[in-house]
Amino acid sequence: MPCCSAAQKVDMFAKYIDPLNPPANLLPINCAGPRHVLLRDLDGSLSGTGISNTTILGGYTRRRLAGGVDQGAMVVPGVCNYRSTWGAYVCLPGQQSSGLANGWKPDPIPSTGILGDPQMFVLESRHDDREIRVFDPVIFSLPGSGQVDLVTNAMDQGCCFGYGFCQKRLNAFWTVLPTGHTVAVNFTGSPGRFWRVWLPYADPSAQLLLQFNIGDVSDRRYLYTTAAGRLPPLTNGPPTLKDGSAGGSYYWDQVAMTFTLKVSGGDMYEIRTESVLYITPKLAMSVADFYAQQTTFISSLASVLGIDPSRIRIAKVVPGSAVVDVQIVEAPQPLPETPFNMTYNMDLDSSVATAQNIAVQVAAGNITYPVDLSKDPTYFPPPPPPP
């Protein structure tokens, strides 16, 4: 996981790690890429457990902090055991209980067991300031277990202690989350208006329930896909892992400022923010007459405002002379995708050094097959002589 430049110190700064009791504990935050290593031992021979689908998590130089709040893939005592010779945790599938003092276990227990199917998870900012501003660390936790992963953004190069001073910044986050579990997500700063989440390598049948705590950002959130546009929320409460709902089911709680989303393996979900305009006209008609003419009312109002009728929603109708609460929402559009050209994915100094080393190896006879440096993607021709 890329992060800081070599010239920049690894421990960039200390941030609050206990949102309920700041600043009781401070931890130097760094990139922690190796602590999110995920290996799946398909037959148990590598780990020596002899159990298929044993998981090996993290590259640690020490155990995770005893309180559970740390950087690195979340583990559960009794399910995952630390091996100091490897600097990693070995987690067994099919476990039905944990070694936590409070007896925590997920409800329901996944078919693969507690932490039986950890998967790579990505949260990516899609906001237009994603290469300038970050809201890290993003705090992932297993509610009730005390296990927390503090995840920093994928890359910061240069002076990144302010807003907009980085040479290069990528406001995206990679971690490891267990499918079949509920995971709470908290942001250190105000999250961007648009983000995308997905489990890129999980089986399509695998699901994960995410509870995003948005904080004090009052604008409403909704789910969007390029294929279907705006997706409607559930109206009878948040989805659960037991209700049989499909991936993409979500619920926005305007009072609690929480966004609950069920994610299925392999699918991308874009969470967007929108401002909503509320108007409350009083109409000289009964409620029954209004409902009989509701379609005409919406189309007429849309014509007056010059907008598509799909953006107008009737939130509530008060009896008497009909008082109508009307919501006018934004018209969502696809966000541009940033193209990536990996052909020359090296800085100039490294490219020149690589090309020179190839030339030396060819001259020494260590490379016996023909090499045309002019066609090598790392080759940069020498500059023309000065005039």
Side-chain angles (χ1 to χ4, degrees):
M1 183 181 297
C3 184
C4 314
S5 61
Q8 187 177 2
K9 62 181 181 179
V10 174
D11 290 343
M12 297 184 293
F13 44 78
K15 290 191 174 182
Y16 298 136
I17 65 171
D18 184 354
L20 299 180
N21 190 27
N25 291 309
L26 289 174
L27 177 72
I29 300 296
N30 59 50
C31 306
R35 295 185 185 181
H36 293 93
V37 168
L38 169 62
L39 299 175
R40 191 63 54 84
D41 187 357
L42 297 180
D43 61 4
S45 59
L46 175 64
S47 59
T49 64
I51 300 175
S52 300
N53 292 315
T54 294
T55 299
I56 302 171
L57 286 176
Y60 289 86
T61 56
R62 56 162 175 79
R63 294 176 181 268
R64 281 179 56 93
L65 296 178
V69 180
D70 205 343
Q71 286 190 278
M74 291 181 286
V75 299
V76 174
V79 175
C80 304
N81 297 298
Y82 183 70
R83 292 191 182 180
S84 58
T85 53
W86 289 5
Y89 283 86
V90 176
C91 306
L92 300 179
Q95 301 302 296
Q96 302 296 303
S97 62
S98 72
L100 292 169
N102 64 0
W104 173 88
K105 57 184 178 181
D107 181 25
I109 296 177
S111 60
T112 55
I114 301 173
L115 259 65
D117 182 37
Q119 291 286 340
M120 178 182 176
F121 174 81
V122 181
L123 187 155
E124 169 200 8
S125 173
R126 299 271 285 148
H127 198 269
D128 55 10
D129 67 354
R130 62 186 176 273
E131 295 187 3
I132 302 174
R133 184 179 71 90
V134 294
F135 39 77
D136 71 329
V138 176
I139 305 168
F140 295 88
S141 62
L142 296 172
S145 72
Q147 305 305 304
V148 175
D149 182 11
L150 305 172
V151 183
T152 59
N153 61 306
M155 181 172 66
D156 265 340
Q157 289 185 330
C159 177
C160 299
F161 300 101
Y163 187 101
F165 299 102
C166 289
Q167 298 169 8
K168 188 68 172 179
R169 164 174 271 172
L170 183 60
N171 197 10
F173 305 85
W174 283 266
T175 185
V176 176
L177 298 180
T179 65
H181 290 63
T182 298
V183 176
V185 186
N186 290 269
F187 302 95
T188 304
S190 298
R193 290 178 57 84
F194 312 104
W195 5 293
R196 184 161 57 188
V197 299
W198 72 100
L199 294 162
Y201 306 120
D203 188 90
S205 64
Q207 292 186 324
L208 175 69
L209 192 67
L210 299 171
Q211 297 176 338
F212 294 95
N213 297 300
I214 307 301
D216 57 357
V217 181
S218 60
D219 289 338
R220 189 166 64 180
R221 304 274 169 161
Y222 66 96
L223 203 65
Y224 175 90
T225 66
T226 302
R230 179 202 304 270
L231 299 179
L234 299 177
T235 57
N236 57 349
T240 70
L241 290 169
K242 296 187 288 187
D243 63 8
S245 58
S249 301
Y250 76 98
Y251 182 78
W252 167 245
D253 189 326
Q254 184 71 47
V255 176
M257 303 300 293
T258 57
F259 186 93
T260 306
L261 169 65
K262 184 179 285 188
V263 175
S264 292
D267 292 335
M268 287 187 177
Y269 305 90
E270 196 165 287
I271 301 169
R272 292 193 173 191
T273 304
E274 66 175 351
S275 299
V276 181
L277 174 64
Y278 291 87
I279 60 175
T280 309
K282 184 175 182 179
L283 307 177
M285 63 174 64
S286 67
V287 173
D289 288 342
F290 170 78
Y291 279 117
Q293 302 180 47
Q294 179 176 343
T295 301
T296 302
F297 171 79
I298 292 176
S299 61
S300 299
L301 180 59
S303 177
V304 170
L305 297 175
I307 63 175
D308 191 276
S310 64
R311 295 177 58 188
I312 298 177
R313 299 178 181 178
I314 306 301
K316 183 173 63 176
V317 180
V318 180
S321 293
V323 178
V324 184
D325 284 349
V326 180
Q327 298 177 356
I328 301 177
V329 300
E330 297 176 355
Q333 299 295 328
L335 296 175
E337 294 284 352
T338 302
F340 293 96
N341 183 354
M342 304 298 288
T343 304
Y344 299 99
N345 194 25
M346 296 180 72
D347 60 84
L348 178 60
D349 291 342
S350 298
S351 298
V352 171
T354 301
Q356 291 174 342
N357 182 54
I358 292 174
V360 170
Q361 297 301 320
V362 170
N366 295 327
I367 298 179
T368 57
Y369 55 85
V371 176
D372 184 351
L373 293 182
S374 65
K375 295 181 180 179
D376 191 280
T378 63
Y379 173 72
F380 282 82

